[in-house]
Amino acid sequence: MQRFIETHTDKAYDLIVIGGGISGAAVAYEAASQGYCVALVEKGDFGAATSSATSKLIHGGLRYLANFEYGLVRESLKERKTLENIAPNFVYPLPFLVPLYKTFARSKWLLEPGMILYDLLSYDKAFTWDRSKKLPLHRSLSRGKTLDLEPVVKADGLTGAILYSDCANLMPERLTLAFIKSAAKYGAEVANYAKVEDFVRASGRISGVVVRDRLSGKMVTLRGRLTVNCGGPWADLILGVARGNPGSQQIRRSEGIHILTRKLTQHFAVGGVTPSGRPCNLIPWRGHTLIGTTDREYVGDPDAYCVTREKIQEYIDEVNAAFGKQDLVKYSDIVYVYGGLRPLIDDQTKDVYKTSRKYEIFDHEQEGMPGLITVEGGKYTTSRNLAENVLKAVNRKFGRRSKSVTAKQYLAGSEIHNLNSFIAEAKSKYRDFTEQSVDFLARIYGTELPAVMEIARSDKMYASTLDADGEILAQVIYAVRAEMAMTLKDILIGRTGIGWLGNPGDKALQMVAQVAGRELKWDQARMDHELEAIYRSLAIPN
């Protein structure tokens, strides 16, 4: 992939998509696959904000049943299966253990009917392309079996547990990138670090955008018949620019913090409930436990958002209380921490935890801005279906008829019919690498693995391992040459998992920086700046 913004001349597009998170990526892919000429611009890196700050799950939204949002749950469960099919190397069955207690709110009598309904709403979950992705029905466990399997569970008042399955999202950043690559395969032109500064108007219509290339400072005008605002938590700020009122904020934002720590569970993801009544999950991920998430309203500039020690400690206290163990998680246990903002549809719900994760598609023609559509709300799991619905609206405006194909074909790099066979073949082919390394790389690169391994075999240094999962230096070169990585953070957080287990150490960071700097032609000042920035990004707030 190449940043089209650097060579753009005067090409006109059918659709201009603003935002390169999962929503914008899915819309660009959907539109390009239906034959539209598409340009996508993202002010930062692809999938680096809200789409990166997830619990690494693809889930049906069990808790939405309590809000009677059966349609949202069914849509989520359908899309969960679709993502298992089209992204088999990223999406995996993950068993969840939900402890049951004597209190009515956590009793079997309340939760069992919900699980039966959840199974009914996912009636088609067995029909996956790859049989290894098939999810079982829920089942009950006794109190003794629950404590044997997961001693982390709070024992006081425990009566048993329910075991059910949802799905893990191994690396949301690369799954988002797979949507971007799929769009590009259909001809979409994409660019990161390209910020919309203004809108173009002609004959009373929005007819394009003025974009600043944040790497060169160059201003570029893009012309398009229709612009789709997929700015997520920044969507209202983008609308403010279109309305001539920059800086205005209208949407609600929810803050979600996640903590990565040592391994706390034995077999399953384990659910708990904080004293305030919010769920918190202990999720197994890459030999560690991911704890999340908070769900509190954030008021302020989304660009100024950051995670603080105070917020982390407050969440640790809630998690410890939820599992009845004062020292289950200590601040010193934290390996990595991250947070992000989610846009919410404001339904006047006081508590953002109870606010819907529905999405809405707004056509601004009635307010005097024809040529502009905004997408708000939603969640990672349903993004592909959101995009399909956006294109239905686009097709009506353009008077076209075309059908979606995105649920019926693999994403770019995920063309794998049988994942277990694919990984076994990769291990056999690359015997000069450790099995652990090949296993992990095969999952995050899928059918692109040979290109990475070719680089690794070209120079012994590029086969150097950088973390416990066996990630290698060759990935850095591939990220720059083939995946539009522009910074160390893009490489360590957005293209690889090297930074996701915390600071990999000075030696590893220096190796990555030297290779990236050579590929991107950084001088010493830029090298120092990049290293300073990544050390800051990987640091635990104190």
Side-chain angles (χ1 to χ4, degrees):
M1 297 192 302
Q2 299 294 325
R3 297 176 72 241
F4 83 97
I5 207 79
E6 297 174 355
T7 56
H8 177 74
T9 53
D10 196 33
K11 181 178 180 179
Y13 303 91
D14 295 318
L15 259 70
I16 298 172
V17 179
I18 304 173
I22 185 59
S23 295
V27 168
Y29 173 37
E30 188 70 45
S33 67
Q34 291 192 31
Y36 286 100
C37 182
V38 180
L40 179 147
V41 290
E42 160 59 45
K43 75 170 189 173
D45 190 28
F46 303 124
T50 302
S51 301
S52 180
T54 75
S55 297
K56 304 189 188 301
L57 299 174
I58 298 296
H59 64 100
L62 178 61
R63 69 181 176 88
Y64 306 139
L65 290 178
N67 299 340
F68 306 106
E69 295 184 281
Y70 304 130
L72 176 60
V73 175
R74 172 55 195 157
E75 178 190 21
S76 301
L77 291 168
K78 178 176 69 72
E79 288 304 302
R80 181 186 68 184
K81 185 193 73 171
T82 296
L83 288 173
E84 284 185 279
N85 288 340
I86 69 175
N89 52 316
F90 292 116
V91 183
Y92 300 85
L94 176 65
F96 269 80
L97 185 144
V98 180
L100 301 173
Y101 293 92
K102 294 178 180 179
T103 60
F104 179 71
R106 299 290 294 169
S107 69
K108 180 177 182 178
W109 311 112
L110 181 64
L111 297 181
E112 178 71 21
M115 289 311 313
I116 293 172
L117 179 57
Y118 202 60
D119 280 338
L120 289 172
L121 289 171
S122 59
Y123 59 86
D124 55 351
K125 62 185 173 184
F127 302 110
T128 51
W129 297 347
D130 185 336
R131 296 290 293 174
S132 70
K133 301 295 183 181
K134 179 180 177 180
L135 272 63
L137 297 173
H138 83 279
R139 60 188 177 95
S140 296
L141 300 176
S142 68
R143 182 182 191 276
K145 187 67 172 178
T146 299
L147 291 174
D148 285 344
L149 290 172
E150 292 296 351
V152 73
V153 168
K154 182 179 179 180
D156 186 26
L158 181 73
T159 62
I162 291 175
L163 192 64
Y164 78 99
S165 291
D166 257 317
C167 285
N169 183 353
L170 176 61
M171 196 168 176
E173 301 75 24
R174 290 201 63 84
L175 180 52
T176 300
L177 190 65
F179 275 90
I180 295 283
K181 291 178 177 179
S182 299
K185 282 182 66 174
Y186 274 98
E189 298 182 359
V190 300
N192 52 1
Y193 298 101
K195 183 181 180 182
V196 171
E197 299 284 5
D198 202 355
F199 285 78
V200 179
R201 293 166 178 80
S203 303
R205 292 182 58 84
I206 299 288
S207 58
V209 293
V210 178
V211 177
R212 176 168 57 89
D213 183 344
R214 294 181 59 204
L215 301 183
S216 69
K218 180 182 177 183
M219 301 295 285
V220 178
T221 298
L222 306 179
R223 295 182 295 114
R225 297 172 63 191
L226 188 64
T227 298
V228 183
N229 173 12
C230 295
W234 289 266
D236 56 342
L237 300 180
I238 294 169
L239 279 177
V241 174
R243 291 167 176 153
N245 186 22
S248 63
Q249 297 187 29
Q250 292 180 318
I251 64 174
R252 301 181 78 196
R253 298 171 177 87
S254 171
E255 172 196 34
I257 293 174
H258 292 80
I259 297 167
L260 189 69
T261 184
R262 71 187 193 285
K263 184 179 179 181
L264 299 175
T265 65
Q266 301 301 311
H267 305 282
F268 312 118
V270 179
V273 178
T274 68
S276 60
R278 292 184 177 89
C280 62
N281 295 315
L282 308 181
I283 303 166
W285 186 70
R286 294 180 65 188
H288 294 70
T289 293
L290 181 64
I291 308 172
T293 175
T294 63
D295 209 339
R296 295 180 175 87
E297 185 163 15
Y298 173 81
V299 179
D301 181 359
D303 285 317
Y305 172 73
C306 65
V307 180
T308 65
R309 182 183 179 113
E310 180 183 20
K311 291 178 180 178
I312 297 169
Q313 187 60 59
E314 182 180 342
Y315 189 46
I316 288 175
D317 293 341
E318 289 184 343
V319 172
N320 289 340
F323 289 92
K325 296 174 175 61
Q326 186 175 356
D327 294 324
L328 175 66
V329 181
K330 299 186 291 292
Y331 205 91
S332 58
D333 293 332
I334 298 174
V335 174
Y336 185 57
V337 63
Y338 62 92
L341 301 177
R342 294 183 288 269
L344 302 174
I345 299 300
D346 191 350
D347 59 357
Q348 305 305 313
T349 302
K350 182 178 179 181
D351 188 344
V352 295
Y353 162 65
K354 295 180 181 178
T355 300
S356 178
R357 294 302 190 269
K358 295 180 296 186
Y359 54 80
E360 293 185 0
I361 302 166
F362 298 94
D363 187 340
H364 297 283
E365 184 165 2
Q366 291 185 348
E367 60 176 291
M369 292 191 295
L372 179 63
I373 289 176
T374 293
V375 178
E376 289 186 1
K379 63 195 190 90
Y380 200 112
T381 303
T382 57
S383 294
R384 191 215 61 84
N385 198 56
L386 176 154
E388 188 174 329
N389 286 323
V390 169
L391 263 293
K392 289 178 182 176
V394 171
N395 286 335
R396 286 194 296 269
K397 293 185 76 67
F398 286 170
R400 285 182 50 171
R401 289 187 179 183
S402 56
K403 291 185 178 181
S404 176
V405 298
T406 57
K408 301 177 178 65
Q409 58 190 22
Y410 293 105
L411 291 175
S414 295
E415 303 89 346
I416 302 168
H417 300 289
N418 184 298
L419 183 66
N420 292 333
S421 297
F422 175 79
I423 293 173
E425 290 170 8
K427 289 178 179 178
S428 177
K429 182 177 181 180
Y430 302 109
R431 293 182 183 276
D432 45 334
F433 297 83
T434 67
E435 285 198 356
Q436 184 176 14
S437 180
V438 176
D439 185 285
F440 189 75
L441 295 177
R443 295 177 193 276
I444 68 171
Y445 287 100
T447 55
E448 296 174 358
L449 177 65
V452 177
M453 303 309 265
E454 183 179 353
I455 296 171
R457 282 175 166 173
S458 70
D459 188 317
K460 187 177 180 180
M461 181 183 73
Y462 297 151
S464 302
T465 57
L466 301 171
D467 63 17
D469 284 318
E471 294 193 86
I472 56 179
L473 204 54
Q475 295 171 253
V476 178
I477 297 175
Y478 189 74
V480 174
R481 293 179 182 175
E483 298 183 330
M484 219 180 287
M486 298 294 165
T487 70
L488 281 184
K489 187 175 181 181
D490 295 350
I491 295 166
L492 292 165
I493 300 295
R495 305 296 184 277
T496 75
I498 298 168
W500 275 102
L501 300 181
N503 190 326
D506 292 344
K507 181 180 178 181
L509 288 180
Q510 289 288 342
M511 290 173 68
V512 172
Q514 290 297 327
V515 172
R518 186 167 62 247
E519 289 290 317
L520 291 166
K521 298 179 173 56
W522 290 340
D523 58 20
Q524 190 59 49
R526 175 65 185 274
M527 183 80 72
D528 293 343
H529 169 78
E530 289 291 331
L531 281 167
E532 180 183 351
I534 197 61
Y535 274 112
R536 190 166 55 247
S537 293
L538 297 177
I540 308 298
N542 55 34

